[in-house]
Each structure stands twice: as structure tokens, then as C-alpha cells.
Amino acid sequence: MVFETLLLESGGGVMRAVINRPKSKNAINQTLLREINQALDLAESQPDCRMLVLEGADGIFCSGMDFHEMDALADRIDINLMRASTEKYMRTLKRFATSPCVVVSRVSGAVTAGGVGLVAASDLVLATPESQFTLTEAMWGLLPSNVIPYLIRRAGFQAAFRMSLTTDTLSAAEAHRLQLVDYLGDDLDQLERRLRIKLNRVKKEAVGNLKSYFRSMWMIDEEMEQLAVEETSRLAAMPSVIASVRNFVQKQAFPWESN
């Protein structure tokens, strides 16, 4: 299987998927979402594969929504088109939270907007001290609607609200304190090796059962997921948001600079 947006490597019980879209700072487009799910399919189909490890190439984990893809569709964007793309993203987060494989994010750089959702929905997160986490959606007239349920699950209501409202950047140390990051250290390889030793003792079936049980005890259900999809779709289809994105892509002007 040939991948356009991921570099894939398998071995030692691990499927490693590296987001490789350097020109777009590893932004999330529809192809990336499809290929992340295909990588999960492969990991789940291999009996000896216990972990899917997601990381970003070139020192950036993920910069969130691909504005260039959104700009290319700007003339025909409506709520139905945005709903279809948003549902794919929400389903991907759900797969992270329900897969019998342990989903691990390895972060060694910037994580922005929808990239924070990929991290928050992961089972375990490894990060270097240089990593940074930012929710920028409010700057564009959007909300991190799909990210918030998973971020609240990890970091708590007020932390998720503050990140969304202020668009402040969290340092790796602060993200670790809030439990958005599980393991913090300079050597991610060493952290991952220790993790693999522990996880090799746990069968896939037990991982799936554990995730299912914990999910049943939390607020993320189909109604919550649909609410998140509808809110993101509604806002992303607004002419003011589309105009802000187009102005940034074509003129490199931020919304607060174009007034």
C-alpha cells in the first residue's frame, strides 16, 4: 500500500506512522485522515502489533486544518461539505480511543489546533521539553469543537476552556502537569522502549476492553460527537470564516490584520 501523507514502518510489535507533509507543516487534509485510518487498519490486522505510534516529520507534529485545502474548496463550501470532512476527523479521534492497538503520539515540536485533538485522543503521549501546544481556532471565528471533549477528558474543563478562549501556547512542562502529556523527556526513543516493555504484557483484547469500559464511563457518546461535528461544520461554512482563511492563504494576512 502506497501512502501519500504518511511514512509507514512496521516491526517489533509497532506500526510507526510519520506525518510527512512538510510544505503544509503537517496539516490535516482528507488524504491524511484516510491514511491514518488505513494505518490503523494495518496495525489492527497484525496479531503481533500492539502499538500505533504517530509522529510528525521535520520538527512539527501537526498544524491542524489544512487551510490550502479549505481555500481550494471555498467557492463551493457549505455546511454539508464541511460536515462530511468534519465527521472524518471526529471518527478518527474515536478510532484512537477505541482501537485495540495502543495509540501513542510522539511529540517533538509544535502542535496546533486539530493536531491537539490527535494528541488528546491518543492513549499515551510522549513529548520533548521543546514541544508546544496551541488551540488557535478562536482567532479564525471557529471553535475546537471536536478537540474539546478529548481535551477535557485529559486536562479538565477549565484548562480546555482557557486554551480555547485565550489561544495561549502551553509549554511541554505545563502540558505534562495538566496530563495532556503522559511522559516528558529528552530521549523519546528511551521513553518508547520502556513503554513497549510494559505494553507487551497486555493483550490486544484487554486493551480493547479497557478502552471500551473507560469510554462508557465518560461523556463522549454519539450525541456529543454529533454536536461537535455540527458546531464545527456550522462555523466553518460561515462566509466570514471562509473569507479569513482565503485572505490568509492568498495574502498571508491574519483576521485581526484585515479589519
Side-chain angles (χ1 to χ4, degrees):
M1 186 178 293
V2 178
F3 287 82
E4 181 182 331
T5 66
L6 292 177
L7 301 175
L8 219 61
E9 179 184 336
S10 180
V14 175
M15 180 73 69
R16 191 173 306 281
V18 181
I19 303 172
N20 187 40
R21 304 192 67 225
K23 291 182 179 179
S24 67
K25 297 182 179 179
N26 295 332
I28 299 170
N29 65 0
Q30 296 302 296
T31 303
L32 177 62
L33 291 176
R34 183 181 72 249
E35 291 186 349
I36 287 175
N37 280 276
Q38 289 173 334
L40 265 171
D41 290 340
L42 288 172
E44 291 173 3
S45 70
Q46 298 178 9
D48 63 337
C49 184
R50 303 293 182 89
M51 292 169 53
L52 174 79
V53 176
L54 185 68
E55 55 188 305
D58 291 351
I60 296 175
F61 182 81
C62 177
S63 61
M65 180 189 293
D66 189 337
F67 278 179
H68 286 85
E69 182 178 69
M70 188 173 177
D71 178 54
L73 298 171
D75 292 333
R76 58 189 184 91
I77 281 181
D78 61 18
I79 194 168
N80 292 320
L81 181 64
M82 291 312 305
R83 184 184 292 117
S85 63
T86 303
E87 284 176 341
K88 290 179 183 176
Y89 176 75
M90 201 68 190
R91 285 198 299 268
T92 302
L93 300 188
K94 183 177 182 177
R95 280 205 72 184
F96 280 20
T98 57
S99 172
C101 290
V102 179
V103 178
V104 178
S105 282
R106 270 181 56 138
V107 181
S108 56
V111 190
T112 309
V116 176
L118 297 179
V119 169
S122 297
D123 300 311
L124 297 167
V125 180
L126 318 177
T128 63
E130 296 74 30
S131 303
Q132 296 182 322
F133 305 81
T134 315
L135 291 177
T136 56
E137 285 87 347
M139 297 179 183
W140 304 94
L142 296 165
L143 294 177
S145 312
N146 304 283
V147 176
I148 286 171
Y150 289 96
L151 186 58
I152 290 176
R153 187 179 69 164
R154 272 191 166 270
F157 182 95
Q158 184 59 27
F161 180 76
R162 175 168 54 85
M163 284 183 69
S164 303
L165 176 64
T166 66
T167 71
D168 281 347
T169 296
L170 252 62
S171 68
E174 178 68 359
H176 186 226
R177 186 186 72 79
L178 292 172
Q179 300 187 69
L180 178 56
V181 169
D182 296 292
Y183 300 96
L184 183 64
D186 293 304
D187 190 340
L188 294 186
D189 290 335
Q190 183 181 59
L191 291 177
E192 186 182 321
R193 279 194 298 271
R194 291 175 180 172
L195 197 57
R196 286 167 65 178
I197 292 171
K198 295 176 182 178
L199 294 179
N200 280 339
R201 304 167 185 165
V202 183
K203 293 182 178 180
K204 264 186 174 181
E205 182 181 10
V207 171
N209 289 336
L210 185 67
K211 289 189 184 185
S212 178
Y213 180 70
F214 268 79
R215 185 176 173 85
S216 71
M217 300 180 70
W218 186 237
M219 66 179 188
I220 305 175
D221 56 17
E222 290 185 6
E223 184 178 356
M224 168 69 73
E225 290 166 342
Q226 194 57 41
L227 175 64
V229 167
E230 291 300 326
E231 184 65 1
T232 297
S233 305
R234 180 183 72 84
L235 294 173
M238 290 176 61
S240 59
V241 172
I242 296 169
S244 292
V245 170
R246 171 159 279 183
N247 207 36
F248 177 74
V249 170
Q250 297 181 0
K251 301 178 182 179
Q252 295 300 294
F254 290 98
W256 56 91
E257 297 173 331
S258 58
N259 294 330

